Amino acid sequence: MKKVIQITTALLLLVVVSAFTNKTEKEKSGYKIGDVATDFKLENIDGKMVSLSDFEDAKGFIVTFTCNTCPYAVAYEDRIEALNKKYASKGYPVIAIMPNNTDVKPGDNLEAMQKRADQKGFTFPYLLDAGQDIYPQYGATKTPHIYILEKTKTGNIVKYIGAIDDNYQDASQVKNKYVEDAVDALLTGREIKVKETKAIGCSIKV
């Protein structure tokens, strides 16, 4: 009986330790400000494979995890397009990535992405993270979730993580344009004042 109790206690302890370890690893996962983001190769809506290294003249990137089906992502579509139109020519193009499991969210599959991009007239790459390998590397948890990267000799450095701005409901009521402020700072050689904010959106579907 004593041996059974010892074994049971040991198993319970193992479960507790494993749960704590998994939580700790999850909390530590993803990029932090100052990290070097690795490149990727993902399929674009035009069928071509796209990598950050394809943009030889870029000074950096506005990497945007987004989708078709999340109301928050839909609310930000026009603003994401506006960011690309404003900053792509200045060296900071938007690179949009759809991270959801399309078995769970068929409205986010490649065909749906193509249709949505055509309807909205997206001018930026809209890539499918088909294996769901890239968003965990970044640590993205929401759609939309933004990562601003600055291209340097040592790689693409993460300079900002979080939300596009402070009002997803009404673009006319935005007081803080986090992404614009960050990119403007990078373009003029200034320190980014707000480097990290909480991303507001739908959870990424796995």
Side-chain angles (χ1 to χ4, degrees):
M1 182 67 180
K2 185 177 179 181
K3 189 174 182 180
V4 173
I5 293 173
Q6 287 176 335
I7 292 172
T8 303
T9 303
L11 288 172
L12 285 172
L13 182 62
L14 181 62
V15 170
V16 171
V17 170
S18 297
F20 179 78
T21 302
N22 289 337
K23 183 179 180 182
T24 303
E25 287 176 354
K26 189 175 182 181
E27 287 174 347
K28 289 182 178 179
S29 66
Y31 295 134
K32 303 294 186 293
I33 300 300
D35 285 350
V36 177
T38 56
D39 204 348
F40 49 73
K41 182 169 286 193
L42 297 174
E43 185 178 3
N44 191 17
I45 50 174
D46 62 3
K48 297 179 181 178
M49 302 303 288
V50 173
S51 299
L52 298 179
S53 58
D54 297 334
F55 298 81
E56 296 180 359
D57 297 329
K59 298 175 182 177
F61 305 93
I62 304 172
V63 177
T64 306
F65 292 91
T66 188
C67 69
N68 302 328
T69 58
C70 171
Y72 295 89
V74 171
Y76 271 114
E77 283 177 329
D78 291 340
R79 278 175 269 184
I80 292 170
E81 174 63 21
L83 284 171
N84 191 59
K85 287 182 175 178
K86 181 174 182 178
Y87 291 111
S89 62
K90 298 179 181 180
Y92 277 86
V94 166
I95 309 294
I97 300 174
M98 203 301 293
N100 285 336
N101 180 342
T102 56
D103 289 334
V104 177
K105 282 289 183 180
D108 286 326
N109 64 28
L110 187 61
E111 185 178 354
M113 290 168 61
Q114 293 167 337
K115 184 177 180 180
R116 190 64 181 172
D118 184 60
Q119 288 174 339
K120 298 295 295 185
F122 290 163
T123 58
F124 48 81
Y126 193 15
L127 314 179
L128 176 62
D129 187 5
Q132 293 193 297
D133 297 318
I134 304 307
Y135 87 80
Q137 291 181 19
Y138 277 73
T141 60
K142 304 290 184 181
T143 52
H145 206 149
I146 312 299
Y147 292 75
I148 296 177
L149 312 180
E150 181 183 27
K151 187 189 289 188
T152 72
K153 292 181 180 179
T154 56
N156 295 308
I157 307 296
V158 179
K159 306 297 286 188
Y160 171 82
I161 302 172
I164 293 173
D165 54 43
D166 63 0
N167 194 323
Y168 79 89
Q169 294 175 306
D170 189 346
S172 67
Q173 297 300 312
V174 169
K175 294 180 180 178
N176 295 293
K177 297 182 178 181
Y178 303 122
V179 170
E180 289 193 35
D181 291 345
V183 177
D184 286 342
L186 290 171
L187 288 171
T188 55
R190 294 179 287 109
E191 185 73 12
I192 297 173
K193 291 182 179 180
V194 179
K195 298 180 181 180
E196 195 161 2
T197 61
K198 182 179 179 181
I200 303 297
C202 303
S203 60
I204 292 174
K205 306 302 184 290
V206 298

